[in-house]
Amino acid sequence: DIQMTQSPSSLSASLGDRVTITCRASRGIGDSLAWYQQKPGEVPKVLIYAASTLHPGVPSRFRGSGSGTDFTLTISSLQPEDFATYYCQKYGSAPQTFGQGTKVEIK
Amino acid sequence: EVQLVESGGDLVQPGGSLTLSCAASGFNIGVNYMTWVRQAPGKGLEWVSVMYADGSRYYADSVKGRFTISRDNSKNTLYLEMNSLRVEDTAIYYCARDGPSSISYYVAYFWGQGTLVTVSS
């Protein structure tokens, strides 16, 4: 089975900072990669799919890139509402493994 | 409007059984990819099971042989039958559906609010 490794597991950043989260697949998955955001006590929400397609309504400061085995989620200028945990997920064929998550905290 | 409402979560003893339901509205579950995802307290998301539109089903290794995903098209409801429950199955269980366009097929696009399963003696 394909494993998804996300890094870092947590990070501290200030408002306005550029933040980068990486996700690595143990084998190539093309562009079948989604990113989710989850705030405490809330249901996860999809941000990006097909590695780089922004879900409708998601601010343009979020950007997804990559293909094959290496993927990146970038937040260009961190806003107060962006403090949350972010997960990558390989989708399409099963198993549809999630990464371990990256908690973005206020510095 | 797509809506997913999970139910059936409860406190159950180790070794026990439980069946979760996910009532769908706004679409026909028989033509969509449907999945279960769980989240243990304070932990990350874990993919549990999937049923594709063609009826094929797959499971995470951690639940294979113990959990069964199914659907009732007449009730527009997805189920997760859970047997031989373990303490480590304690989690919020979410059902999700894929997106409306080909680029979002097989993505957990729409989510329910989740139902809590607690396995404890």
Side-chain angles (χ1 to χ4, degrees):
Chain A
D1 293 344
I2 296 174
Q3 306 303 315
M4 305 301 294
T5 304
Q6 220 177 304
S7 61
S9 56
S10 65
L11 64 90
S12 295
S14 301
L15 294 178
D17 281 356
R18 181 184 181 91
V19 167
T20 299
I21 299 168
T22 64
C23 182
R24 175 164 289 177
S26 59
R27 292 200 312 272
I29 60 171
D31 66 353
S32 297
L33 192 283
W35 291 96
Y36 301 86
Q37 177 193 65
Q38 187 181 32
K39 297 178 182 179
E42 295 187 7
V43 177
K45 298 177 183 177
V46 63
L47 294 176
I48 288 168
Y49 42 84
S52 61
T53 300
L54 224 55
H55 182 71
V58 173
S60 59
R61 63 180 179 273
F62 289 91
R63 179 175 177 269
S65 62
S67 68
T69 59
D70 293 308
F71 301 87
T72 300
L73 173 67
T74 301
I75 309 172
S76 60
S77 177
L78 202 62
Q79 299 301 302
E81 58 269 31
D82 301 336
F83 292 96
T85 301
Y86 295 85
Y87 298 91
C88 65
Q89 184 199 25
K90 161 216 174 285
Y91 63 88
S93 61
Q96 297 170 332
T97 314
F98 285 92
Q100 304 94 318
T102 297
K103 186 174 184 179
V104 176
E105 298 175 302
I106 301 173
K107 182 184 283 186
Chain B
E1 180 191 5
V2 172
Q3 285 198 326
L4 299 167
V5 179
E6 303 93 335
S7 62
D10 204 348
L11 170 63
V12 62
Q13 291 190 339
S17 298
L18 205 58
T19 296
L20 306 182
S21 301
C22 172
S25 58
F27 70 101
N28 180 351
I29 65 165
V31 300
N32 285 96
Y33 148 108
M34 299 291 298
T35 189
W36 288 97
V37 174
R38 69 183 181 184
Q39 187 169 36
K43 302 297 184 182
L45 301 175
E46 180 186 12
W47 175 78
V48 174
S49 181
V50 64
M51 176 173 271
Y52 292 97
D54 66 1
S56 58
R57 321 167 197 209
Y58 299 89
Y59 303 91
D61 286 344
S62 58
V63 307
K64 201 173 294 182
R66 300 188 298 123
F67 289 13
T68 302
I69 190 172
S70 63
R71 69 188 179 205
D72 185 333
N73 291 344
S74 67
K75 295 182 179 179
N76 217 31
T77 299
L78 182 75
Y79 301 98
L80 186 68
E81 180 184 352
M82 304 184 295
N83 297 313
S84 303
L85 281 162
R86 305 167 180 168
V87 171
E88 55 265 35
D89 295 319
T90 295
I92 296 173
Y93 285 73
Y94 299 100
C95 70
R97 197 212 94 168
D98 64 350
S101 63
S102 59
I103 199 170
S104 60
Y105 288 169
Y106 312 132
V107 175
Y109 195 96
F110 299 101
W111 293 65
Q113 291 300 307
T115 187
L116 177 62
V117 173
T118 303
V119 184
S120 174
S121 55

